[in-house]
Amino acid sequence: MPDTLNHPELLAPAGSLEAFFAAMESGADAVYCGLRQFSARAKARNISLADLEGMLAYARKLRRRIYVTVNTLIREEELPQLAETLADLEALRIDGIILQDLAVWKMARDHFPGLPLHASTQMTVHNAAGVKMLERMGFKRAVLARELTLEEISAIRRETSLELEHFIHGALCFSYSGQCLFSSWLGGKSGNRGRCAQPCRRRYSYRQKYGYYFSPNDLSAIDLLSDLQKAGIGSFKIEGRMKSAEYVANVVSAYRMVMDAPDTQRKESLSQAKDRLKQSFGRLPTKGFLPGPRPTDIAIPSMKGATGRFLGEISALRGGEITFKSRDRLHIGDRIRIQPKSDQAGTAFTIKQLRLGRSTVKAAPAGSLVTVPSSFRDTFRIGDAVFKVSSEQAFTMSEAACRRKLHQAGNIPDQLDLHIALQGRDLTLTGRSGPVEIRQTYEVPVFPATDNPLSVDILRGVFERSGKEPLSLRDITSEPLPPVVIPPSRLKDIRRLFYQAVAQNLSDASNTARQKHLRSALDSLLPIAPLVDGYKRQITVAIDRLRDGHLLNDPLVDRIILPMTASNVQQLAKGHRFTGREDKVVWDIPFVLLGADWRESRDIVRVLTASGFHNFRLNNLGHFPLFDGMQEVTLHCGWRLFTVNSQAALAWKELGISTITLYLEDDRANLENLLRRETGLPTEMTVYASVPLITSRIPLRGLRSDSPVVSDRDDAYRVTQRGGQTVVSPETDFSLLNRLSELEDLGCHRFIVDLSHLGPYSPRGKLVLDALRREGGLPATSSFNFERGME
């Protein structure tokens, strides 16, 4: 196990084979990569299993590590494929899997015990309670939320022994990771399925003032590596599985330079590293939240959301030729991207010809008015921005060269412990690798030793060479050896025969274990069950204020959901409004609980349970420890806890959940597939809500909820800032109120109508309740992904 606490790991992205070798050659201790399925960067080139096997062999010889991302939400129909993938990864003895969906946790823990578990930042673990929950669940490492300060990280470290990983460089999401529905809302391309279309990077207007309001700058914590290590971070993670090998090489080598520098040379190394980072073609750097909870440079609306080094704006066009004054040196082979002022995607191409005036040149200095021909006609406009995204000096390795290197690495070696005993003429070898043990006895000629008798060192010299077999001798021990010699040729023959037998046994054992584990996992998947009639429809209405609690007097409403806030509890203390009906109130725990907020929530839970309330809705793993030692509570699973398959539902059931809320961005096909599985848990579904497209800790100064933020496509969004959180919601609400009978036919009979943003007695709130009564549609609403599908 790596000593990440005293010697932090430098962890690099490997979205392609070329990026993998760039990371290895530039000094990464480990890389993380995604396969071509179940990766939160589905647009990256990603890695095949055959590639991964070669990468592991290459990395093991360098004593480096590889982690594989399985960090997307898993559709019900994908569970068999997930089982196959986990079986393959376990057979390859991968160093860890990074996961989001608890289906992956449950299946790996129950059926693939050889897979070390890392909790993805997509799980939004942001406090000590969340990390301690991961410890209970058997995780080895937590990738912490990027919204934490150094002080908050230190507080987490003091309460856990779990390995902690944190991002140190690369792109930031405006939203808490795992909690952004923006891309999915616009076109069904879910960020939690690895298909984010990055609408946050587009231009918006607020009161007719244009800006990139939701586009954060890039994280660069190179000044804070010592502080991060002192805070308890054991793995420094670089973002960028969508980035080029050149980016990976530049960034990894820069951080390696600083991490390896002696204290006396730290300042000089830091200066050199920052110069190198300028070549990585990112956005403006920010330290994010690490220095404190209110950063001023993390999101600057006047800064374009595009990556790359800004060169200038197009000043003239002629056919496919563009002319602009370049702020930076340009060279044949540089790659540039033209970014329109609208929110449309940019166009990138490599410079094959470059002109200064009428002269064709190979390079142009900074400040030059240059003309660059392209093959694109009628694509660009005067005023479009020009960015350099790659240089002619890029790290390059062809696909063929990458594969030659993988082939030369051979197979992944098995670690072998060897014990030797010599009795008379019988040499007995006992080899152990993982759970496999093999013992063989060979007859050997022995001769009295006059000089240099048989010893452990002599035997190590013979057996540390494994020949063609993928074995690596880790340790060798022996019984007391007599003062004899054995001819070296005989020892080499024995080594060859023994290692052949060991390799065959290990291969057989691996194949047997893979088939056994895979069959166990596949057998655990729930079959389709017949639908059961006779369920009564149950309606739960979410409200924001305690004073609207008399909505329970409406015969339409079975239960209400109330935010578990200090103000609501204080109002409760002034006059108990629910005597005898406490079981009809579900208290909704705030999604984010940082530091003292968690301790305050624990006190509130105790007050509420003492007052006779026992229903609580959880929205983060860090909420579970709030109820440690409590028996008389009923825990409900909010939609933020991701239930898109039956294995995740079973996982929540195991953790103490009594009711699950289906995922808000899911579609009809998957909902039907999931609801046909008998998990033993009642399921609820939100059928009306304002969808929080972004939930963020980043403040948006000067924006108020009384005016919308509008896209270039005239889509309008409300920005609400309260309690240290920024929430971006569409002005169009989500509604399936006209589909309740259809949903019941699918197998769901419990429905949540979320009016917390409207109030049940506002004009709009009354319209919603009326539509609920008559099961009618509402104008100006969206069915989200229900019909069009979630990719």
Side-chain angles (χ1 to χ4, degrees):
M1 180 181 295
D3 179 16
T4 55
L5 197 58
N6 296 314
H7 303 282
E9 169 188 85
L10 182 57
L11 177 57
S16 66
L17 286 180
E18 189 181 16
F20 166 73
F21 286 111
M24 292 288 104
E25 294 183 14
S26 302
D29 298 303
V31 300
Y32 63 102
C33 61
L35 297 174
R36 289 171 183 168
Q37 61 279 334
F38 310 129
S39 168
R41 293 293 182 270
K43 295 178 184 177
R45 286 154 66 184
N46 288 318
I47 304 297
S48 70
L49 276 170
D51 292 338
L52 181 59
E53 187 170 6
M55 291 163 59
L56 279 163
Y58 186 89
R60 295 273 159 78
K61 290 182 178 179
L62 297 175
R63 298 186 182 276
R64 314 283 179 86
R65 295 170 292 281
I66 297 180
Y67 311 123
V68 174
T69 58
V70 193
N71 60 340
T72 60
L73 299 183
I74 313 296
R75 295 173 69 90
E76 183 68 30
E77 64 187 10
E78 295 172 336
L79 289 175
Q81 184 184 12
L82 173 64
E84 291 272 2
T85 298
L86 295 179
D88 289 333
L89 293 177
E90 184 186 44
L92 289 175
R93 300 186 304 284
I94 201 74
D95 294 296
I97 59 169
I98 306 169
L99 65 96
Q100 174 186 20
D101 194 318
L102 280 207
V104 184
W105 167 73
K106 179 171 175 54
M107 292 181 72
R109 188 210 55 184
D110 289 352
H111 309 289
F112 305 102
L115 291 172
L117 306 178
H118 296 194
S120 171
T121 191
Q122 297 289 111
M123 295 180 81
T124 331
V125 174
H126 59 276
N127 55 30
V131 175
K132 288 195 283 189
M133 189 65 190
L134 292 174
E135 275 190 287
R136 297 179 195 177
M137 296 167 67
F139 281 84
K140 178 184 177 184
R141 178 181 294 187
V143 187
L144 296 177
R146 283 175 270 199
E147 287 74 15
L148 297 176
T149 67
L150 285 165
E151 184 178 348
E152 288 163 346
I153 293 170
S154 296
I156 291 172
R157 174 80 283 163
R158 288 193 292 270
E159 297 194 42
T160 180
S161 60
L162 202 69
E163 291 181 14
L164 301 180
E165 179 178 304
H166 198 278
F167 283 93
I168 56 167
H169 196 92
L172 290 170
C173 293
F174 194 89
S175 177
Y176 282 96
S177 293
Q179 305 300 327
C180 182
L181 308 183
F182 206 167
S183 174
S184 189
W185 177 262
L186 290 179
K189 298 183 182 300
S190 172
N192 282 322
R193 296 271 297 161
R195 291 167 173 82
C196 179
Q198 295 192 318
C200 53
R201 299 295 183 187
R202 299 171 182 170
R203 188 179 69 159
Y204 297 86
S205 65
Y206 173 72
R207 293 182 174 176
Q208 299 183 336
K209 182 179 180 181
Y210 285 98
Y212 297 86
Y213 295 103
F214 313 127
S215 181
N217 290 322
D218 282 359
L219 178 65
S220 181
I222 198 161
D223 292 297
L224 302 174
L225 297 185
S226 295
D227 301 279
L228 281 163
Q229 184 178 354
K230 290 174 185 175
I233 297 300
S235 180
F236 295 157
K237 187 171 193 173
I238 296 167
E239 182 276 337
R241 279 189 288 139
M242 296 284 290
K243 299 292 180 63
S244 67
E246 177 189 14
Y247 168 90
V248 173
N250 279 333
V251 176
V252 171
S253 60
Y255 279 88
R256 184 82 271 164
M257 184 187 303
V258 175
M259 291 173 68
D260 291 348
D263 291 342
T264 55
Q265 298 176 22
R266 192 69 174 251
K267 186 175 180 180
E268 180 183 351
S269 296
L270 188 59
S271 176
Q272 294 177 4
K274 286 182 176 180
D275 286 340
R276 185 167 297 181
L277 288 178
K278 291 178 182 177
Q279 306 303 314
S280 65
F281 303 104
R283 303 174 183 89
L284 285 180
T286 174
K287 295 182 178 69
F289 287 93
L290 290 170
R294 287 175 290 278
T296 57
D297 64 346
I298 194 168
I300 304 172
S302 61
M303 300 303 301
K304 293 181 183 293
T307 56
R309 194 170 308 137
F310 178 63
L311 298 179
E313 295 181 348
I314 295 176
S315 57
L317 283 167
R318 183 179 178 182
E321 291 184 347
I322 61 171
T323 299
F324 61 95
K325 187 175 182 180
S326 179
R327 296 185 180 186
D328 197 7
R329 174 185 179 273
L330 278 180
H331 194 283
I332 298 294
D334 286 348
R335 190 166 178 81
I336 61 175
R337 185 182 64 249
I338 314 302
Q339 190 72 39
K341 286 186 176 181
S342 71
D343 62 4
Q344 302 299 310
T347 302
F349 62 92
T350 300
I351 297 176
K352 297 180 180 179
Q353 187 179 352
L354 184 64
R355 292 207 310 269
L356 282 176
R358 296 183 178 181
S359 302
T360 300
V361 296
K362 289 186 176 180
S368 302
L369 185 69
V370 298
T371 298
V372 178
S374 81
S375 60
F376 299 96
R377 288 180 173 271
D378 301 321
T379 302
F380 310 131
R381 299 287 182 270
I382 291 176
D384 286 354
V386 185
F387 292 85
K388 186 196 286 190
V389 294
S390 181
S391 74
E392 84 283 356
Q393 299 173 340
F395 178 98
T396 56
M397 184 180 290
S398 68
E399 185 85 4
C402 290
R403 299 202 176 279
R404 281 197 300 272
K405 276 206 166 192
L406 291 187
H407 180 73
Q408 292 164 3
N411 297 321
I412 305 169
D414 286 291
Q415 299 292 313
L416 182 70
D417 293 324
L418 182 61
H419 184 74
I420 298 179
L422 177 62
Q423 292 185 335
R425 298 171 64 86
D426 291 336
L427 184 69
T428 300
L429 307 183
T430 304
R432 292 187 182 86
S433 181
V436 178
E437 178 179 301
I438 179 172
R439 179 175 297 178
Q440 300 274 15
T441 299
Y442 302 90
E443 186 177 346
V444 294
V446 295
F447 304 96
T450 57
D451 187 24
N452 201 19
L454 193 66
S455 66
V456 171
D457 287 339
I458 290 174
L459 292 169
R460 179 180 290 108
V462 173
F463 286 95
E464 68 184 359
R465 298 181 180 181
S466 60
K468 296 180 180 179
E469 306 303 336
L471 296 170
S472 176
L473 184 65
R474 181 170 52 191
D475 191 24
I476 183 169
T477 57
S478 76
E479 300 292 323
L481 296 168
V484 298
V485 294
I486 300 173
S489 60
R490 178 56 178 154
L491 285 176
K492 291 178 182 178
D493 284 342
I494 290 171
R495 177 190 66 196
R496 176 178 55 81
L497 293 171
F498 182 69
Y499 279 175
Q500 284 177 352
V502 169
Q504 187 61 53
N505 271 265
L506 288 174
S507 177
D508 292 345
S510 176
N511 290 335
T512 299
R514 183 190 181 282
Q515 291 303 318
K516 178 182 177 182
H517 293 177
L518 176 58
R519 177 47 52 199
S520 172
L522 291 174
D523 288 346
S524 73
L525 300 182
L526 299 179
I528 292 177
L531 290 174
V532 178
D533 295 328
Y535 285 104
K536 179 187 175 184
R537 182 181 293 182
Q538 183 184 90
I539 301 295
T540 301
V541 179
I543 57 178
D544 187 54
R545 298 173 298 186
L546 188 83
R547 70 186 188 191
D548 291 330
H550 58 279
L551 183 66
L552 277 174
N553 295 328
D554 189 326
L556 177 71
V557 178
D558 297 290
R559 294 188 312 179
I560 60 171
I561 295 175
L562 273 170
M564 197 186 79
T565 61
S567 59
N568 273 336
V569 174
Q570 289 166 4
Q571 289 295 316
L572 189 70
K574 294 178 180 179
H576 199 306
R577 298 168 183 260
F578 303 110
T579 303
R581 295 193 292 181
E582 290 88 352
D583 63 331
K584 296 184 179 296
V585 180
V586 180
W587 293 94
D588 194 46
I589 305 173
F591 158 55
V592 173
L593 295 175
L594 291 164
D597 294 339
W598 189 91
R599 294 187 290 274
E600 182 184 45
S601 292
R602 182 181 54 189
D603 293 339
I604 291 174
V605 165
R606 291 171 177 170
V607 169
L608 290 172
T609 53
S611 301
F613 296 97
H614 62 267
N615 284 292
F616 297 88
R617 187 163 78 156
L618 283 59
N619 298 292
N620 186 267
L621 278 177
H623 293 171
F624 283 85
L626 290 168
F627 303 93
D628 284 352
M630 294 186 180
Q631 303 297 323
E632 301 300 321
V633 291
T634 303
L635 305 181
H636 307 266
C637 184
W639 63 264
R640 287 188 187 272
L641 285 178
F642 314 124
T643 305
V644 292
N645 60 70
S646 55
Q647 289 294 306
L650 293 175
W652 296 123
K653 183 179 180 181
E654 183 179 329
L655 294 176
I657 290 293
S658 298
T659 307
I660 55 172
T661 304
L662 300 173
Y663 190 43
L664 198 57
E665 64 172 315
D666 209 346
D667 59 40
R668 188 191 191 283
N670 189 63
L671 288 167
E672 181 177 17
N673 210 357
L674 167 57
L675 288 166
R676 293 296 302 276
R677 268 67 183 181
E678 182 50 62
T679 64
L681 281 179
T683 55
E684 294 185 308
M685 187 168 175
T686 306
V687 292
Y688 192 92
S690 171
V691 178
L693 303 183
I694 291 176
T695 305
S696 177
R697 197 181 186 182
I698 299 174
L700 284 172
R701 293 172 179 82
L703 268 65
R704 299 174 61 183
S705 59
D706 57 352
S707 292
V709 175
V710 182
S711 75
D712 283 354
R713 304 175 188 184
D714 291 327
D715 298 320
Y717 305 94
R718 292 187 304 272
V719 177
T720 304
Q721 303 187 73
R722 184 169 65 177
Q725 278 191 15
T726 298
V727 177
V728 180
S729 305
E731 290 208 323
T732 301
D733 284 350
F734 163 64
S735 177
L736 293 177
L737 292 176
N738 59 336
R739 315 295 283 269
L740 300 190
S741 295
E742 180 182 353
L743 293 171
E744 288 182 315
D745 289 341
L746 297 182
C748 185
H749 303 272
R750 300 185 179 204
F751 305 115
I752 297 173
V753 177
D754 190 340
L755 300 180
S756 57
H757 63 299
L758 297 174
Y761 301 110
S762 69
R764 179 69 178 180
K766 291 177 180 179
L767 281 176
V768 173
L769 291 175
D770 179 62
L772 177 64
R773 284 186 177 89
R774 56 183 174 83
E775 198 173 324
L778 281 171
T781 58
S782 168
S783 63
F784 200 177
N785 290 331
F786 184 76
E787 293 178 358
R788 74 183 172 201
M790 174 181 68
E791 294 186 41

